[in-house]
């Protein structure tokens, strides 16, 4: 589950195997379907990377 800036939550396809609590990088729209493995895959948001280090 991904929380957007607006406070809304979205469900993302995990294409890389992240763990709960990981900070991730997501792509949306057509790029999400491509990253999920197929252009006809029904995904609006796909996780494509894990952030190793983040300073707040």
């Amino acid at each position: 589950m991904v929380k957007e800036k607006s406070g809304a939550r979205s469900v993302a396809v995990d294409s890389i195997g992240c763990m709960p609590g990981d900070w991730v990088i997501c792509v949306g729209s057509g790029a999400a379907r491509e990253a999920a493995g197929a252009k006809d895959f029904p995904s609006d948001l796909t996780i494509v990377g894990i952030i190793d280090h983040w300073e707040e």
Side-chain angles (χ1 to χ4, degrees):
M1 179 111 24
V2 178
K3 187 173 182 182
E4 298 178 18
K5 288 182 182 180
S6 65
R9 293 181 184 244
S10 298
V11 176
V13 172
D14 182 1
S15 65
I16 58 172
C18 62
M19 300 296 291
D22 283 344
W23 287 82
V24 297
I25 299 169
C26 299
V27 294
S29 219
R33 290 184 290 281
E34 185 93 23
K39 289 184 180 180
D40 60 346
F41 194 81
S43 173
D44 292 324
L45 194 62
T46 300
I47 299 169
V48 294
I50 300 171
I51 300 171
D52 292 331
H53 180 74
W54 183 276
E55 287 187 33
E56 293 189 38

